Amino acid sequence: MKRIFVFIAMISLGACKSPEARYPVSQNSGSYISESITKNQELLKKEVAKIEAIIKEDSTREYKPSQNGFWYVYNKKTSDSTNKPNPEFGDIVEFDYSISTLDNQAIYAEGEKETRTYAIDQEKLFSGLRQGLKLMKEGETVTFLFPSYKAYGYYGDKNKIGRNLPIKTKVTLNKVTEREELKPEN
């Protein structure tokens, strides 16, 4: 009986060995990431060159570069004296928009998309439009030129917009409801 206890004790002590780290069978050098970065930089250069050519060709209007990596032009601008605020975090906006290629081929024509109600920075919307809405005031219409990374990027919209497609988006901001207006009165 004593031998059985000694045997169990030896097995128990042998099983207490600390686990060893497993190492990968092969290691990658990270070249895939480097290739991907290079490919995306080249894609961005081509898209920016095309956008700049459109801006140069349309010399009658004044396109502005945004700090967020896209360009825009006012189709209808409200006067600065109206004191209407730009939408901020949490404000509810109602807007209409259409989307086309940079060559003006309609993807979603005007009226094809329903009027959209959106809470600024609290709902899903592609990054360029989310940032563009903050530049607008109620009643304005703006055309945005978005490189693909600011639009629908690598995946597209899984419907009509393909991958890595720069787009032109015309947006009319119909109404802005500020956060304070949303709070119940006491």
Side-chain angles (χ1 to χ4, degrees):
M1 181 93 155
K2 195 174 191 184
R3 289 183 190 207
I4 292 175
F5 285 121
V6 171
F7 180 71
I8 291 174
M10 287 175 42
I11 290 177
S12 297
L13 290 173
C16 292
K17 181 179 173 185
S18 63
E20 291 182 20
R22 291 192 242 163
Y23 296 100
V25 175
S26 65
Q27 295 180 348
N28 292 331
S29 65
S31 63
Y32 172 76
I33 293 172
S34 298
E35 290 171 15
S36 179
I37 290 170
T38 303
K39 180 180 170 186
N40 287 324
Q41 287 173 337
E42 290 171 6
L43 177 66
L44 180 61
K45 281 182 188 177
K46 288 178 186 175
E47 292 175 357
V48 168
K50 188 167 187 170
I51 289 171
E52 288 174 343
I54 290 168
I55 292 170
K56 189 175 183 179
E57 187 178 303
D58 189 5
S59 61
T60 60
R61 299 174 8 163
E62 183 184 345
Y63 286 83
K64 297 180 181 186
S66 78
Q67 296 176 358
N68 298 302
F70 58 86
W71 292 259
Y72 62 101
V73 64
Y74 287 95
N75 301 5
K76 179 183 172 192
K77 183 171 174 57
T78 60
S79 67
D80 292 331
S81 63
T82 60
N83 294 328
K84 290 182 180 178
N86 293 53
E88 295 177 353
F89 179 84
D91 291 349
I92 306 295
V93 295
E94 290 180 16
F95 64 95
D96 293 304
Y97 68 109
S98 62
I99 299 175
S100 63
T101 64
L102 295 180
D103 298 326
N104 293 320
Q105 295 176 343
I107 298 172
Y108 294 107
E110 287 189 46
E112 188 174 342
K113 290 245 183 210
E114 294 181 13
T115 298
R116 175 87 190 261
T117 302
Y118 168 72
I120 297 290
D121 291 337
Q122 294 183 334
E123 296 178 45
K124 217 174 176 183
L125 192 66
F126 70 88
S127 70
L129 186 52
R130 188 173 61 241
Q131 294 159 343
L133 285 167
K134 294 180 201 174
L135 299 173
M136 298 177 70
K137 293 182 187 281
E138 190 173 302
E140 292 183 334
T141 301
V142 176
T143 298
F144 296 99
L145 303 175
F146 296 118
S148 62
Y149 82 97
K150 281 294 180 185
Y152 289 90
Y154 181 76
Y155 294 104
D157 74 344
K158 298 183 180 176
N159 190 10
K160 291 184 174 184
I161 299 174
R163 69 172 55 178
N164 294 327
L165 183 68
I167 59 174
K168 184 183 287 190
T169 305
K170 184 178 176 183
V171 181
T172 300
L173 185 56
N174 301 322
K175 183 177 178 185
V176 177
T177 306
E178 295 181 49
R179 285 183 305 232
E180 290 75 31
E181 295 176 20
L182 299 173
K183 294 180 182 176
E185 293 182 30
N186 291 339

